[in-house]
């Protein structure tokens, strides 16, 4: 439930990752890392070769995933940059889990 996260401050942020991030299990690894951190949201490939999505959860955990999206990614990926926009405080999570969208 969300009760654990109360008081920590929940945030929502949209992201887009550029580089060699398609066809390298990037979405699967992102989902795994998000679940490990207890975050919710989604990830999908775009038609222009990037990966984008949304992350929601306790601010400090969201920061961890942002750092991971900037530097780590999946083993075969090569990230050139990660952009984060529309960051805002939220009172409740808007997703049940972290999904890979087709």
């Amino acid at each position: 439930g969300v009760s654990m996260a109360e008081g920590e401050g929940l945030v929502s942020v949209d992201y887009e990752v550029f580089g060699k991030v398609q066809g390298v299990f990037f979405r699967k690894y992102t989902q795994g890392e998000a679940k490990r951190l207890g975050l919710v949201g989604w990830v999908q490939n775009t038609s222009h070769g990037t990966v984008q999505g949304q992350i929601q959860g306790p601010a400090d955990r969201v920061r961890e995933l942002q750092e991971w999206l900037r530097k780590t990614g999946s083993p075969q990926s090569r990230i050139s940059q990660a952009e984060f926009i529309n960051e805002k405080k939220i009172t409740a999570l808007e997703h049940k889990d972290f999904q890979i969208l087709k």
Side-chain angles (χ1 to χ4, degrees):
V2 186
S3 55
M4 190 183 77
E6 273 171 4
E8 288 186 59
L10 298 172
V11 297
S12 174
V13 66
D14 297 338
Y15 63 88
E16 188 166 7
V17 187
F18 301 78
K20 185 191 168 193
V21 292
Q22 289 191 6
V24 290
F25 300 104
F26 197 92
R27 293 171 301 166
K28 189 169 186 281
Y29 276 87
T30 301
Q31 181 187 49
E33 189 67 10
K35 288 191 164 173
R36 187 183 73 78
L37 290 166
L39 299 170
V40 300
W42 53 272
V43 59
Q44 70 179 18
N45 284 340
T46 70
S47 58
H48 52 274
T50 65
V51 167
Q52 68 177 15
Q54 185 174 71
I55 315 164
Q56 294 187 348
D60 56 342
R61 298 283 177 88
V62 170
R63 297 279 168 267
E64 280 188 59
L65 190 59
Q66 284 179 303
E67 196 69 2
W68 185 90
L69 287 166
R70 264 197 202 95
K71 297 202 167 93
T72 309
S74 65
Q76 303 294 312
S77 66
R78 285 200 295 278
I79 298 162
S80 58
Q81 73 183 105
E83 290 182 358
F84 301 98
I85 58 167
N86 300 331
E87 183 169 324
K88 57 183 192 281
K89 286 189 160 64
I90 53 173
T91 51
L93 300 174
E94 295 160 351
H95 309 283
K96 284 192 181 67
D97 52 20
F98 198 94
Q99 290 186 309
I100 296 172
L101 302 183
K102 294 290 179 267

